[in-house]
Amino acid sequence: MDGTPLILTSAERTRAARLLARFTDSYENSLTRRPIAPDEDRETLAKLLAEPFPEEGLGVDAFFADVVDRIVPYTTTIAHPRFLAYVQGPPNGIGPYAEAIAAVLNQNCNLWQISPAANVIERSIMDWLTGLFRLGPHSGGLLTSGGSGATKDAITAAIADRRTDFRERGLQENHAPLVLYTSDEAHRSVVKAAALLGIGLHNVRTIPTDDRFQLRVDLLMHAIAEDRAAGKEPFCVVATAGTVTTGSIDPIGPIADLCAKEDLWLHVDGAYGALFILADSARDALLPLSRADSITLDPHKLLYAPLEAGALLVKDMAKLRAAFAFSSTSSYLTAIDDAHLLDYMDHGPQLSRSFKALKVWAALRTFGVGAFRTVTERCLSLAARLGEHIADAPGLELMNPVTLTAVCLHMPGRNAEAHAELLTRLHEEGTAMLGPARVHEQACVRACVTNHRTTEADIDLLAERLIALAKR
Ligand SMILES: Cc1ncc(COP(=O)(O)O)c(C=O)c1O
């Protein structure tokens, strides 16, 4: 047999490109007519699960037909303008094309020698991001699989910074247990990371929040003192800029003061909220993040990169390298001679790394930073508008100050089932997809405006339907 069976002929490539163009166009044009929530027909999905793979390939046309007929109906229409669940938005327009090009080039972004352009592009994004947060001359970072991964890597670096023999001895042979502090509104990725890294959940303090869902610094101070008195070793505080349920921002300045005084690593989980720094109206609230040792943020949220693209920023790149560089074949020795190049494999847990940076870079260049300023500002103002509608509505209670774009509402006197039914009705009638939440022990419905396609008319329609449904 001659040649690889794994390439397309020139005619097939042309056909695939045409089918892709047709698919993306018709998907785009049909967005508002599509059901937002996926069809969950178990029988069809079970068939898809059980179907054996063919020995002989079915070809390009069959693949595209499968996508249209057998996959798309069972997907969530994330790009619908009234998809307002979780913290997720539609991809920006250039994202899919950048993803395709990244797949063609298939750069491995581990050693700079084998992916120099990709390396510099990732570095340029990190320079821009660390500049936004004014993290200083030694700062840097890298793209990750998402916010959860970035926070886990940050806590890894915090442990390595505290315990210089961590690599050799792990946490097992050391004396005092390390203690990590976060709030009761923190994302579960924080405790998950602490558990996975061997800190142990018994050594994670979830500090209560105040009536604005912000971590209480007085209680944090108290908990640290108590742990020290008990012979434990506080080492890290994970504050949040944009808590997942209510969008609150912890008092980063006072927490940073305390961390400085107590010699603790300050990580800020800004997976949801940090990039609102692009919006003029939120910038001042987020500038104190400049005090953090590390920051999680998510380009796959507010830069609307197609999944996945998270990011970890650190004030001191040397601390990431101290935690993650294992390689004897590393080109670090060369890289220190050349300020523009570094080996990402020595700054994170992955060896093989995809060219995620291309889709972020493509968006920043295609649309310009100004477009992201506009979109983040618009999301904030749409969320405020929804909050005002709810605050004024009979039969609905607004459960949180709308600090960023999360809006939680409760129907007083109605139980959790009634709130779940409200969500189902909104899905079924095609109005919107929102998510469930619990606020102050009350079942709620939560809308999160992280969707660059949402308009004022969408928000007004949603509010009208919420008010009508709550009356029933
Ligand atoms: C505050 C916060 N932290 C962390 C995460 C997890 O991010 P990812 O889904 O990118 O892992 C989220 C996700 O919504 C979040 O809102």
PDB file of all heavy atoms in Angstrom, residues 102 105-119 122 342-345 350-356:
ATOM      1  N   ALA A 102      -4.958  26.158  14.129  1.00  0.00           N
ATOM      2  CA  ALA A 102      -4.103  25.562  15.169  1.00  0.00           C
ATOM      3  C   ALA A 102      -4.015  24.046  14.966  1.00  0.00           C
ATOM      4  O   ALA A 102      -2.956  23.435  15.161  1.00  0.00           O
ATOM      5  CB  ALA A 102      -4.648  25.891  16.557  1.00  0.00           C
ATOM      6  N   LEU A 105      -1.626  23.319  12.034  1.00  0.00           N
ATOM      7  CA  LEU A 105      -0.212  23.506  12.403  1.00  0.00           C
ATOM      8  C   LEU A 105       0.215  22.538  13.503  1.00  0.00           C
ATOM      9  O   LEU A 105       1.373  22.126  13.571  1.00  0.00           O
ATOM     10  CB  LEU A 105       0.021  24.946  12.869  1.00  0.00           C
ATOM     11  CG  LEU A 105      -0.236  26.030  11.820  1.00  0.00           C
ATOM     12  CD1 LEU A 105      -0.135  27.408  12.446  1.00  0.00           C
ATOM     13  CD2 LEU A 105       0.737  25.897  10.652  1.00  0.00           C
ATOM     14  N   ASN A 106      -0.724  22.196  14.379  1.00  0.00           N
ATOM     15  CA  ASN A 106      -0.498  21.226  15.462  1.00  0.00           C
ATOM     16  C   ASN A 106       0.828  21.443  16.194  1.00  0.00           C
ATOM     17  O   ASN A 106       1.615  20.503  16.403  1.00  0.00           O
ATOM     18  CB  ASN A 106      -0.575  19.805  14.895  1.00  0.00           C
ATOM     19  CG  ASN A 106      -1.000  18.812  15.961  1.00  0.00           C
ATOM     20  OD1 ASN A 106      -1.714  19.174  16.907  1.00  0.00           O
ATOM     21  ND2 ASN A 106      -0.556  17.571  15.844  1.00  0.00           N
ATOM     22  N   GLN A 107       1.052  22.694  16.583  1.00  0.00           N
ATOM     23  CA  GLN A 107       2.291  23.001  17.306  1.00  0.00           C
ATOM     24  C   GLN A 107       2.257  22.416  18.720  1.00  0.00           C
ATOM     25  O   GLN A 107       1.221  22.437  19.375  1.00  0.00           O
ATOM     26  CB  GLN A 107       2.456  24.525  17.404  1.00  0.00           C
ATOM     27  CG  GLN A 107       2.633  25.207  16.073  1.00  0.00           C
ATOM     28  CD  GLN A 107       3.925  24.808  15.403  1.00  0.00           C
ATOM     29  OE1 GLN A 107       4.979  25.309  15.744  1.00  0.00           O
ATOM     30  NE2 GLN A 107       3.860  23.892  14.441  1.00  0.00           N
ATOM     31  N   ASN A 108       3.378  21.926  19.149  1.00  0.00           N
ATOM     32  CA  ASN A 108       3.459  21.463  20.532  1.00  0.00           C
ATOM     33  C   ASN A 108       4.140  22.569  21.342  1.00  0.00           C
ATOM     34  O   ASN A 108       5.350  22.816  21.199  1.00  0.00           O
ATOM     35  CB  ASN A 108       4.246  20.155  20.620  1.00  0.00           C
ATOM     36  CG  ASN A 108       3.974  19.463  21.943  1.00  0.00           C
ATOM     37  OD1 ASN A 108       3.589  20.112  22.924  1.00  0.00           O
ATOM     38  ND2 ASN A 108       4.172  18.153  21.981  1.00  0.00           N
ATOM     39  N   CYS A 109       3.354  23.231  22.169  1.00  0.00           N
ATOM     40  CA  CYS A 109       3.859  24.447  22.832  1.00  0.00           C
ATOM     41  C   CYS A 109       4.514  24.087  24.155  1.00  0.00           C
ATOM     42  O   CYS A 109       4.092  24.540  25.225  1.00  0.00           O
ATOM     43  CB  CYS A 109       2.718  25.437  23.008  1.00  0.00           C
ATOM     44  SG  CYS A 109       1.937  25.808  21.439  1.00  0.00           S
ATOM     45  N   ASN A 110       5.502  23.246  24.088  1.00  0.00           N
ATOM     46  CA  ASN A 110       6.228  22.845  25.298  1.00  0.00           C
ATOM     47  C   ASN A 110       7.617  23.481  25.317  1.00  0.00           C
ATOM     48  O   ASN A 110       7.938  24.271  26.193  1.00  0.00           O
ATOM     49  CB  ASN A 110       6.274  21.326  25.416  1.00  0.00           C
ATOM     50  CG  ASN A 110       6.729  20.634  24.138  1.00  0.00           C
ATOM     51  OD1 ASN A 110       7.222  21.274  23.207  1.00  0.00           O
ATOM     52  ND2 ASN A 110       6.571  19.323  24.093  1.00  0.00           N
ATOM     53  N   LEU A 111       8.432  23.152  24.326  1.00  0.00           N
ATOM     54  CA  LEU A 111       9.776  23.742  24.204  1.00  0.00           C
ATOM     55  C   LEU A 111       9.737  24.833  23.139  1.00  0.00           C
ATOM     56  O   LEU A 111       9.179  24.612  22.061  1.00  0.00           O
ATOM     57  CB  LEU A 111      10.765  22.676  23.730  1.00  0.00           C
ATOM     58  CG  LEU A 111      11.189  21.628  24.744  1.00  0.00           C
ATOM     59  CD1 LEU A 111      11.780  20.433  24.020  1.00  0.00           C
ATOM     60  CD2 LEU A 111      12.216  22.223  25.688  1.00  0.00           C
ATOM     61  N   TRP A 112      10.334  25.959  23.433  1.00  0.00           N
ATOM     62  CA  TRP A 112      10.211  27.040  22.458  1.00  0.00           C
ATOM     63  C   TRP A 112      10.870  26.703  21.129  1.00  0.00           C
ATOM     64  O   TRP A 112      10.433  27.166  20.082  1.00  0.00           O
ATOM     65  CB  TRP A 112      10.694  28.371  23.017  1.00  0.00           C
ATOM     66  CG  TRP A 112      12.171  28.528  23.273  1.00  0.00           C
ATOM     67  CD1 TRP A 112      12.786  28.395  24.468  1.00  0.00           C
ATOM     68  CD2 TRP A 112      13.182  28.860  22.327  1.00  0.00           C
ATOM     69  NE1 TRP A 112      14.125  28.620  24.336  1.00  0.00           N
ATOM     70  CE2 TRP A 112      14.395  28.907  23.026  1.00  0.00           C
ATOM     71  CE3 TRP A 112      13.181  29.134  20.956  1.00  0.00           C
ATOM     72  CZ2 TRP A 112      15.607  29.210  22.400  1.00  0.00           C
ATOM     73  CZ3 TRP A 112      14.387  29.436  20.337  1.00  0.00           C
ATOM     74  CH2 TRP A 112      15.580  29.468  21.051  1.00  0.00           C
ATOM     75  N   GLN A 113      11.889  25.850  21.150  1.00  0.00           N
ATOM     76  CA  GLN A 113      12.564  25.561  19.873  1.00  0.00           C
ATOM     77  C   GLN A 113      11.649  24.912  18.852  1.00  0.00           C
ATOM     78  O   GLN A 113      11.843  25.056  17.666  1.00  0.00           O
ATOM     79  CB  GLN A 113      13.740  24.593  20.060  1.00  0.00           C
ATOM     80  CG  GLN A 113      14.988  25.222  20.581  1.00  0.00           C
ATOM     81  CD  GLN A 113      15.280  24.757  21.988  1.00  0.00           C
ATOM     82  OE1 GLN A 113      14.334  24.449  22.739  1.00  0.00           O
ATOM     83  NE2 GLN A 113      16.537  24.707  22.355  1.00  0.00           N
ATOM     84  N   ILE A 114      10.672  24.124  19.336  1.00  0.00           N
ATOM     85  CA  ILE A 114       9.842  23.435  18.351  1.00  0.00           C
ATOM     86  C   ILE A 114       8.557  24.203  18.019  1.00  0.00           C
ATOM     87  O   ILE A 114       7.782  23.766  17.183  1.00  0.00           O
ATOM     88  CB  ILE A 114       9.540  21.975  18.759  1.00  0.00           C
ATOM     89  CG1 ILE A 114       8.741  21.912  20.052  1.00  0.00           C
ATOM     90  CG2 ILE A 114      10.807  21.158  18.864  1.00  0.00           C
ATOM     91  CD1 ILE A 114       8.236  20.499  20.336  1.00  0.00           C
ATOM     92  N   SER A 115       8.353  25.317  18.683  1.00  0.00           N
ATOM     93  CA  SER A 115       7.143  26.113  18.389  1.00  0.00           C
ATOM     94  C   SER A 115       7.423  27.595  18.665  1.00  0.00           C
ATOM     95  O   SER A 115       6.718  28.214  19.462  1.00  0.00           O
ATOM     96  CB  SER A 115       5.984  25.629  19.252  1.00  0.00           C
ATOM     97  OG  SER A 115       6.380  25.574  20.622  1.00  0.00           O
ATOM     98  N   PRO A 116       8.443  28.145  18.020  1.00  0.00           N
ATOM     99  CA  PRO A 116       8.840  29.510  18.403  1.00  0.00           C
ATOM    100  C   PRO A 116       7.753  30.568  18.195  1.00  0.00           C
ATOM    101  O   PRO A 116       7.545  31.420  19.064  1.00  0.00           O
ATOM    102  CB  PRO A 116      10.067  29.803  17.540  1.00  0.00           C
ATOM    103  CG  PRO A 116      10.202  28.683  16.591  1.00  0.00           C
ATOM    104  CD  PRO A 116       9.338  27.554  17.024  1.00  0.00           C
ATOM    105  N   ALA A 117       7.030  30.515  17.078  1.00  0.00           N
ATOM    106  CA  ALA A 117       6.010  31.555  16.853  1.00  0.00           C
ATOM    107  C   ALA A 117       4.883  31.399  17.881  1.00  0.00           C
ATOM    108  O   ALA A 117       4.419  32.382  18.462  1.00  0.00           O
ATOM    109  CB  ALA A 117       5.461  31.449  15.436  1.00  0.00           C
ATOM    110  N   ALA A 118       4.480  30.146  18.113  1.00  0.00           N
ATOM    111  CA  ALA A 118       3.401  29.907  19.081  1.00  0.00           C
ATOM    112  C   ALA A 118       3.837  30.370  20.463  1.00  0.00           C
ATOM    113  O   ALA A 118       3.062  30.954  21.228  1.00  0.00           O
ATOM    114  CB  ALA A 118       3.057  28.418  19.108  1.00  0.00           C
ATOM    115  N   ASN A 119       5.095  30.137  20.765  1.00  0.00           N
ATOM    116  CA  ASN A 119       5.644  30.525  22.066  1.00  0.00           C
ATOM    117  C   ASN A 119       5.575  32.039  22.258  1.00  0.00           C
ATOM    118  O   ASN A 119       5.126  32.539  23.294  1.00  0.00           O
ATOM    119  CB  ASN A 119       7.098  30.024  22.119  1.00  0.00           C
ATOM    120  CG  ASN A 119       7.718  30.218  23.481  1.00  0.00           C
ATOM    121  OD1 ASN A 119       7.905  31.352  23.904  1.00  0.00           O
ATOM    122  ND2 ASN A 119       8.022  29.134  24.163  1.00  0.00           N
ATOM    123  N   GLU A 122       1.945  33.189  22.672  1.00  0.00           N
ATOM    124  CA  GLU A 122       1.427  32.955  24.032  1.00  0.00           C
ATOM    125  C   GLU A 122       2.026  33.978  25.001  1.00  0.00           C
ATOM    126  O   GLU A 122       1.351  34.547  25.849  1.00  0.00           O
ATOM    127  CB  GLU A 122       1.749  31.520  24.487  1.00  0.00           C
ATOM    128  CG  GLU A 122       1.155  31.193  25.848  1.00  0.00           C
ATOM    129  CD  GLU A 122       1.033  29.689  26.128  1.00  0.00           C
ATOM    130  OE1 GLU A 122       1.233  28.884  25.190  1.00  0.00           O
ATOM    131  OE2 GLU A 122       0.734  29.332  27.286  1.00  0.00           O
ATOM    132  N   LEU A 342      10.743  31.214  26.281  1.00  0.00           N
ATOM    133  CA  LEU A 342      10.815  30.344  27.460  1.00  0.00           C
ATOM    134  C   LEU A 342      10.117  29.027  27.153  1.00  0.00           C
ATOM    135  O   LEU A 342       9.342  28.930  26.196  1.00  0.00           O
ATOM    136  CB  LEU A 342      10.212  31.033  28.692  1.00  0.00           C
ATOM    137  CG  LEU A 342       8.786  31.552  28.634  1.00  0.00           C
ATOM    138  CD1 LEU A 342       7.811  30.436  28.857  1.00  0.00           C
ATOM    139  CD2 LEU A 342       8.599  32.601  29.716  1.00  0.00           C
ATOM    140  N   ASP A 343      10.404  28.045  27.980  1.00  0.00           N
ATOM    141  CA  ASP A 343       9.814  26.721  27.783  1.00  0.00           C
ATOM    142  C   ASP A 343       8.601  26.584  28.683  1.00  0.00           C
ATOM    143  O   ASP A 343       8.730  26.504  29.901  1.00  0.00           O
ATOM    144  CB  ASP A 343      10.833  25.635  28.159  1.00  0.00           C
ATOM    145  CG  ASP A 343      11.985  25.579  27.174  1.00  0.00           C
ATOM    146  OD1 ASP A 343      11.770  25.922  25.997  1.00  0.00           O
ATOM    147  OD2 ASP A 343      13.082  25.183  27.580  1.00  0.00           O
ATOM    148  N   TYR A 344       7.428  26.524  28.066  1.00  0.00           N
ATOM    149  CA  TYR A 344       6.226  26.436  28.887  1.00  0.00           C
ATOM    150  C   TYR A 344       6.132  25.114  29.640  1.00  0.00           C
ATOM    151  O   TYR A 344       5.515  25.029  30.688  1.00  0.00           O
ATOM    152  CB  TYR A 344       4.979  26.687  28.034  1.00  0.00           C
ATOM    153  CG  TYR A 344       4.760  28.162  27.814  1.00  0.00           C
ATOM    154  CD1 TYR A 344       4.980  28.755  26.572  1.00  0.00           C
ATOM    155  CD2 TYR A 344       4.366  28.978  28.865  1.00  0.00           C
ATOM    156  CE1 TYR A 344       4.799  30.122  26.393  1.00  0.00           C
ATOM    157  CE2 TYR A 344       4.188  30.342  28.698  1.00  0.00           C
ATOM    158  CZ  TYR A 344       4.401  30.907  27.463  1.00  0.00           C
ATOM    159  OH  TYR A 344       4.234  32.256  27.292  1.00  0.00           O
ATOM    160  N   MET A 345       6.770  24.075  29.109  1.00  0.00           N
ATOM    161  CA  MET A 345       6.731  22.788  29.825  1.00  0.00           C
ATOM    162  C   MET A 345       7.362  22.894  31.222  1.00  0.00           C
ATOM    163  O   MET A 345       7.082  22.069  32.091  1.00  0.00           O
ATOM    164  CB  MET A 345       7.465  21.703  29.031  1.00  0.00           C
ATOM    165  CG  MET A 345       8.926  22.017  28.805  1.00  0.00           C
ATOM    166  SD  MET A 345       9.787  20.701  27.949  1.00  0.00           S
ATOM    167  CE  MET A 345      10.286  19.703  29.325  1.00  0.00           C
ATOM    168  N   GLN A 350       1.903  20.306  32.170  1.00  0.00           N
ATOM    169  CA  GLN A 350       1.807  19.575  30.905  1.00  0.00           C
ATOM    170  C   GLN A 350       3.129  19.529  30.160  1.00  0.00           C
ATOM    171  O   GLN A 350       3.898  20.492  30.221  1.00  0.00           O
ATOM    172  CB  GLN A 350       0.818  20.288  29.978  1.00  0.00           C
ATOM    173  CG  GLN A 350      -0.628  20.093  30.301  1.00  0.00           C
ATOM    174  CD  GLN A 350      -1.472  20.902  29.321  1.00  0.00           C
ATOM    175  OE1 GLN A 350      -1.766  22.061  29.593  1.00  0.00           O
ATOM    176  NE2 GLN A 350      -1.834  20.314  28.208  1.00  0.00           N
ATOM    177  N   LEU A 351       3.336  18.419  29.413  1.00  0.00           N
ATOM    178  CA  LEU A 351       4.425  18.389  28.430  1.00  0.00           C
ATOM    179  C   LEU A 351       3.821  18.809  27.086  1.00  0.00           C
ATOM    180  O   LEU A 351       3.977  19.947  26.670  1.00  0.00           O
ATOM    181  CB  LEU A 351       5.072  17.015  28.373  1.00  0.00           C
ATOM    182  CG  LEU A 351       6.160  16.860  27.292  1.00  0.00           C
ATOM    183  CD1 LEU A 351       7.256  17.897  27.447  1.00  0.00           C
ATOM    184  CD2 LEU A 351       6.727  15.465  27.319  1.00  0.00           C
ATOM    185  N   SER A 352       3.050  17.912  26.464  1.00  0.00           N
ATOM    186  CA  SER A 352       2.403  18.326  25.213  1.00  0.00           C
ATOM    187  C   SER A 352       1.352  19.380  25.527  1.00  0.00           C
ATOM    188  O   SER A 352       0.534  19.203  26.426  1.00  0.00           O
ATOM    189  CB  SER A 352       1.745  17.128  24.539  1.00  0.00           C
ATOM    190  OG  SER A 352       2.743  16.238  24.112  1.00  0.00           O
ATOM    191  N   ARG A 353       1.418  20.477  24.792  1.00  0.00           N
ATOM    192  CA  ARG A 353       0.459  21.580  24.999  1.00  0.00           C
ATOM    193  C   ARG A 353       0.000  22.079  23.641  1.00  0.00           C
ATOM    194  O   ARG A 353       0.814  22.294  22.745  1.00  0.00           O
ATOM    195  CB  ARG A 353       1.124  22.753  25.749  1.00  0.00           C
ATOM    196  CG  ARG A 353       1.581  22.443  27.140  1.00  0.00           C
ATOM    197  CD  ARG A 353       2.296  23.637  27.766  1.00  0.00           C
ATOM    198  NE  ARG A 353       1.393  24.709  28.130  1.00  0.00           N
ATOM    199  CZ  ARG A 353       1.348  25.896  27.531  1.00  0.00           C
ATOM    200  NH1 ARG A 353       2.175  26.176  26.545  1.00  0.00           N
ATOM    201  NH2 ARG A 353       0.501  26.814  27.932  1.00  0.00           N
ATOM    202  N   SER A 354      -1.306  22.286  23.502  1.00  0.00           N
ATOM    203  CA  SER A 354      -1.834  22.739  22.215  1.00  0.00           C
ATOM    204  C   SER A 354      -1.587  24.234  22.016  1.00  0.00           C
ATOM    205  O   SER A 354      -1.252  24.950  22.965  1.00  0.00           O
ATOM    206  CB  SER A 354      -3.331  22.439  22.143  1.00  0.00           C
ATOM    207  OG  SER A 354      -3.999  23.198  23.135  1.00  0.00           O
ATOM    208  N   PHE A 355      -1.825  24.660  20.809  1.00  0.00           N
ATOM    209  CA  PHE A 355      -1.602  26.064  20.426  1.00  0.00           C
ATOM    210  C   PHE A 355      -2.887  26.864  20.741  1.00  0.00           C
ATOM    211  O   PHE A 355      -3.500  27.447  19.867  1.00  0.00           O
ATOM    212  CB  PHE A 355      -1.265  26.101  18.929  1.00  0.00           C
ATOM    213  CG  PHE A 355      -0.769  27.411  18.390  1.00  0.00           C
ATOM    214  CD1 PHE A 355      -0.522  28.514  19.203  1.00  0.00           C
ATOM    215  CD2 PHE A 355      -0.535  27.535  17.021  1.00  0.00           C
ATOM    216  CE1 PHE A 355      -0.060  29.713  18.681  1.00  0.00           C
ATOM    217  CE2 PHE A 355      -0.068  28.730  16.478  1.00  0.00           C
ATOM    218  CZ  PHE A 355       0.158  29.815  17.306  1.00  0.00           C
ATOM    219  N   LYS A 356      -3.242  26.849  22.023  1.00  0.00           N
ATOM    220  CA  LYS A 356      -4.440  27.586  22.457  1.00  0.00           C
ATOM    221  C   LYS A 356      -4.292  29.081  22.219  1.00  0.00           C
ATOM    222  O   LYS A 356      -5.257  29.798  22.050  1.00  0.00           O
ATOM    223  CB  LYS A 356      -4.653  27.400  23.970  1.00  0.00           C
ATOM    224  CG  LYS A 356      -5.127  26.047  24.386  1.00  0.00           C
ATOM    225  CD  LYS A 356      -5.445  26.093  25.881  1.00  0.00           C
ATOM    226  CE  LYS A 356      -6.030  24.802  26.362  1.00  0.00           C
ATOM    227  NZ  LYS A 356      -5.088  23.677  26.281  1.00  0.00           N
TER     228      LYS A 356
END
